[in-house]
Amino acid sequence: MRSFAKSAVYQIYTKSFMDSNGDGIGDISGVVGKLDYLKELGIDIIWLSPIYSSPFVDQGYDISDYYNIAEEFGTMEDFDLLLREAKKRNIYIIMDLVINHCSSQHEWFQKALENPEGEYAQYFYFEKGKDGNPPSNYRSYFRGSAWESVPGTDKFYLHMFAKEQPDLNWENPVVREKLFKMVNWWLDKGIDGFRMDVIDLIGKIPEESIMYGEKSHKYLQEMYRECFEGREAFTVGETSFATPVSAPLYSDKDRKELTMVFGFEHLGLEEVKGNGKWDLKPLDVNELKQVFLVWQKALHEKGWNSLFWSNHDQP
């Protein structure tokens, strides 16, 4: 039985970690070459930021093919070698799973554009506009409208992030089935779990102005049954909107959703309020202690809290 409970996790952003072939881009072979170094640091788990095929509009968080490795980073054979060499050193590998949205270059979205009334349009949120304007005033987290016009039609598609990252419609059971099949494919390959990107947004209900809510829990429970039940796998959710009250719902073992979640409240303590994460102020250690105390108490015996300092989104 694997034990993840006291593991130290090290996030690797492959592109900037280690370049093994001198082309100026970090790669999987570079990670393999540093496994002994990571082991010496005391690392138990490597979290790989996305290494799938991608046009890299959002640094790999726009996936165009979930079953292939970006050629910039190497080949699937390189990845298989990484798995083998990591296991020799008792290092687990978890991958970034980006399934709230995909790349606009993904085959599904390209087919949706070819026929906005067809089957693949139902994989996304294609909605009619209002008098030539978007269906609603939703704003993207990357600024601007969350709706982009579908060329040659009166429709718009939803993208909560970049326009090149159309949101997947989890209400469609075919979408869920195909995503679960992909998750199982990677688990069968031998990875040890996933960090799940903006996973609390999968239950959005655009027509009701709900961006996160109960449906996310329903879908996560289904994914647990279809992919993780009976496996020794580890999942951590990026649940940006979780509070000390709602976080235990995701990671309570009896609810069978996720292994654990990220709580982000402490990351805002260095920010000048109202100015965003790029305008920082000195950290007040007493404030930090208080936030950690609230979260530790909230999840005590109800869920699994994560302790972390930084990630790819923090300056």
Side-chain angles (χ1 to χ4, degrees), residues 43 50 84 138 211 215 230 253 272 278 280 289 312:
I43 300 308
R84 293 195 301 271
Y138 291 154
M211 288 297 102
K215 281 199 172 185
K253 67 179 184 299
V272 176
W278 301 106
L280 303 181
K289 286 181 180 179
H312 57 280

Side-chain angles (χ1 to χ4, degrees), residues 221-239:
Q221 288 164 6
E222 182 181 358
M223 180 160 60
Y224 180 89
R225 292 193 301 271
E226 296 297 325
C227 304
F228 297 103
E229 195 156 35
R231 293 187 187 267
E232 295 178 2
F234 168 85
T235 58
V236 56
E238 182 191 26
T239 51

Side-chain angles (χ1 to χ4, degrees), residues 209-223:
S209 301
I210 295 174
M211 288 297 102
Y212 55 94
E214 184 55 37
K215 281 199 172 185
S216 295
H217 297 289
K218 169 189 165 186
Y219 296 146
L220 286 172
Q221 288 164 6
E222 182 181 358
M223 180 160 60

